[in-house]
Amino acid sequence: MTKDKFVDANGVEFNASADDFELVQLDTKIHDQKFDTKPTTFFKDALRRFGKNKSSVVGAIIISLIVLLAIIVPFASPYDIDNSHPSETLIIPKLFDKGTGFWDGTKMVYGQPYDENSENGINPSLFNPSSAVIVNDYVKDGVRYLDFRYDVYDSTYGLRKKTLYRVEIEKYIENGWCKIEKNAAGEYVFTKLSDKCPIESMDFSTIDDSSITAEVIQYKYLGYDSMPRYLFGTDNLGRDVLKRSFVGLRYSLIFAICIATICFVFGLVWGSVSGYFGGNLDLFLERFKDILAGVPLVVIVTLFRLHLGDRLWVFALALCITGWMGTASRARTQFYRFKGREYVLASRTLGASDTRLIFRHILPNAMGTIITSSVLMVPSLIFTEATLSYLGLGLNGSNSFGNILSENQAFLQTYPMLIVLPAIIISLLMISFNLFGNGLRDAFNPSLKGSE
């Protein structure tokens, strides 16, 4: 086919024919390519992004473990924390068997004066001589002293002489654990019939109408099946620190989560309305919030307790009065940020209602920042409850975490383990909730959807 001469827009001549203008893809099908990925939802994509944030996943795991322990430990531990146990106060922690030298329930006693009336020089009224091992025996300024290591658990729960009353002995006899009878010579004979019986022997020379001196295995006498082992010791009332800490944590977590949920929902609604509608309504709501925020929390709690009584719901209501303000402020700020965006204006132009604009277009974009800041409300409420309990305004008489910290802080120097475990738990909760909240912020940020 002959080619004709043409001139382009710049005046340059070129040759072209009709064949030069044929479609090169005339025999090829042109269509959209099939997506290689599966369709997803907003929450599935948020979960995927959250899983990629390793620190947030670690925080979520720690929170889950602590909550799980708060559920399991109170049921798994056999020790009673509802009553005081005067003979078991301030027992040191024990995890390993005696002799390991670490966390084995033994402690060193230095400079104990030598007792001349004792078999090995250890005063039996202060320590059980049979549970002590003398490490050093020395004389200083003419006075003899001993350094020794003694087993606190053996001294507290082991074999010891004790005055038993007739009613106690009769109970053991009725249970079939032992018997007392006279032999042919007319002497009393004690026979142990069951391993459950705490009595090992009796001194019948001390018998009278109401009591007798006997050698008793103390842990059986106290009702334990085996010698107790407190991983973190006991407090000043003889209660297991581990169980009481997690019982208090469970109590405080439930309380804090309920209060945080109420404050979050109310603050979110308040801030959304204030930020979306603006104008005089926003001005009135903000001034009311500023006035309420100016009243100290201590004053609010005190007034509520004076007029409504010392009850759980009164304390919860006092915390709810001001607890929602942080969430409301953050929600209001985010709504002012997003309500003027192009996609919101386009939806309003297409006839979208205020409800749809708030819950469909603005709130999902603002939720990331709001959740990140509000998720710290749970540990903050635990801290607040602990502070108010220290001031005597908390949940008095309860096993809340705040009361535990308040009661044990007096033993920080002498028995630090009483405060170490609750402090570690609350520190882990604070750090983990912080990491968890950062992960939620990124996960619920729609602008990051589809990002790696």
Side-chain angles (χ1 to χ4, degrees):
M1 180 177 292
T2 60
K3 295 187 176 182
D4 299 324
K5 289 185 178 181
F6 297 91
V7 179
D8 62 13
N10 297 323
V12 179
E13 293 185 355
F14 64 94
N15 298 323
S17 63
D19 294 337
D20 294 332
F21 296 94
E22 292 182 358
L23 295 173
V24 295
Q25 295 178 333
L26 188 62
D27 299 328
T28 304
K29 291 183 178 180
I30 301 176
H31 54 82
D32 294 334
Q33 296 293 325
K34 185 178 180 181
F35 285 114
D36 294 330
T37 59
K38 295 181 180 180
T40 185
T41 63
F42 174 76
F43 288 100
K44 286 183 179 179
D45 188 66
L47 183 62
R48 181 186 62 82
R49 289 201 304 273
F50 182 83
K52 290 182 177 295
N53 192 329
K54 304 302 181 185
S55 60
S56 300
V57 173
V58 172
I61 292 174
I62 293 175
I63 294 173
S64 301
L65 288 176
I66 292 177
V67 172
L68 189 63
L69 287 174
I71 297 173
I72 294 176
V73 170
F75 292 104
S77 177
Y79 306 119
D80 174 35
I81 62 170
D82 296 324
N83 303 295
S84 61
H85 307 277
S87 62
E88 304 173 71
T89 58
L90 300 175
I91 296 177
I92 63 175
K94 180 176 182 177
L95 176 61
F96 305 107
D97 293 331
K98 182 177 68 173
T100 57
F102 172 74
W103 210 345
D104 60 351
T106 63
K107 65 183 298 186
M108 283 293 300
V109 177
Y110 298 96
Q112 183 68 26
Y114 189 89
D115 187 355
E116 300 290 345
N117 299 321
S118 177
E119 182 178 347
N120 58 355
I122 298 175
N123 190 341
S125 64
L126 301 176
F127 307 97
N128 186 354
S130 62
S131 64
V133 176
I134 297 175
V135 177
N136 191 14
D137 186 345
Y138 61 96
V139 177
K140 183 179 180 181
D141 297 331
V143 180
R144 188 178 179 185
Y145 294 97
L146 297 177
D147 295 340
F148 59 90
R149 177 180 293 275
Y150 87 104
D151 189 339
V152 176
Y153 284 79
D154 185 54
S155 178
T156 305
Y157 299 108
L159 188 66
R160 61 166 58 181
K161 287 186 177 181
K162 193 177 188 69
T163 299
L164 297 179
Y165 295 98
R166 182 179 295 275
V167 64
E168 295 175 309
I169 300 173
E170 289 177 351
K171 182 182 67 173
Y172 301 145
I173 295 175
E174 290 175 0
N175 291 336
W177 295 349
C178 63
K179 64 179 181 180
I180 300 175
E181 54 189 3
K182 287 186 177 181
N183 57 15
E187 298 175 340
Y188 286 105
V189 177
F190 168 78
T191 305
K192 185 174 182 177
L193 302 176
S194 172
D195 191 52
K196 295 181 179 180
C197 181
I199 305 173
E200 290 294 303
S201 64
M202 287 186 174
D203 184 4
F204 290 104
S205 64
T206 62
I207 192 171
D208 57 30
D209 294 336
S210 60
S211 64
I212 186 175
T213 301
E215 285 191 327
V216 176
I217 299 178
Q218 184 69 3
Y219 74 83
K220 293 182 179 180
Y221 177 78
L222 295 173
Y224 297 106
D225 295 330
S226 59
M227 185 175 291
R229 180 175 296 198
Y230 300 105
L231 298 183
F232 292 92
T234 61
D235 62 9
N236 59 318
L237 295 179
R239 298 169 295 187
D240 181 20
V241 172
L242 178 66
K243 182 176 181 178
R244 190 160 185 255
S245 296
F246 281 106
V247 167
L249 177 62
R250 181 178 62 180
Y251 188 94
S252 296
L253 272 176
I254 295 174
F255 179 78
I257 289 173
C258 292
I259 299 300
T261 303
I262 295 172
C263 292
F264 178 79
V265 173
F266 185 82
L268 187 62
V269 173
W270 185 286
S272 300
V273 172
S274 178
Y276 180 80
F277 292 102
N280 292 330
L281 179 61
D282 177 40
L283 183 64
F284 171 76
L285 294 178
E286 282 300 296
R287 297 295 74 76
F288 177 81
K289 183 164 68 69
D290 291 341
I291 294 172
L292 195 60
V295 183
L297 178 61
V298 174
V299 175
I300 294 176
V301 174
T302 303
L303 291 175
F304 271 63
R305 285 168 59 93
L306 287 176
H307 292 281
L308 299 178
D310 185 10
R311 300 183 181 89
L312 175 62
W313 68 269
V314 173
F315 184 69
L317 181 61
L319 293 179
C320 289
I321 291 295
T322 57
W324 55 272
M325 294 182 183
T327 303
S329 298
R330 286 184 288 270
R332 175 179 176 272
T333 301
Q334 294 302 309
F335 267 77
Y336 266 107
R337 174 186 176 189
F338 289 106
K339 72 176 184 179
R341 296 292 177 88
E342 290 80 1
Y343 62 87
V344 177
L345 297 177
S347 298
R348 181 180 287 113
T349 303
L350 293 174
S353 63
D354 291 335
T355 303
R356 181 176 178 83
L357 289 174
I358 291 174
F359 293 102
R360 180 66 177 174
H361 296 289
I362 301 178
L363 190 57
N365 289 278
M367 190 59 73
T369 303
I370 297 173
I371 287 179
T372 303
S373 303
S374 300
V375 76
L376 295 177
M377 196 183 300
V378 174
S380 296
L381 281 170
I382 296 177
F383 270 116
T384 302
E385 187 266 326
T387 303
L388 293 175
S389 296
Y390 180 79
L391 297 175
L393 299 174
L395 303 173
N396 295 334
S398 68
N399 281 325
S400 68
F401 213 60
N403 276 333
I404 293 174
L405 290 170
S406 177
E407 293 172 5
N408 292 342
Q409 59 88 25
F411 301 93
L412 181 59
Q413 293 184 343
T414 53
Y415 292 89
M417 192 56 68
L418 298 182
I419 201 74
V420 166
L421 178 61
I424 290 175
I425 293 175
I426 201 169
S427 299
L428 284 176
L429 275 178
M430 195 68 184
I431 296 172
S432 301
F433 268 105
N434 199 349
L435 296 175
F436 183 67
N438 291 336
L440 290 180
R441 176 197 60 196
D442 297 336
F444 284 97
N445 188 352
S447 63
L448 297 178
K449 186 175 182 180
S451 63
E452 295 297 332

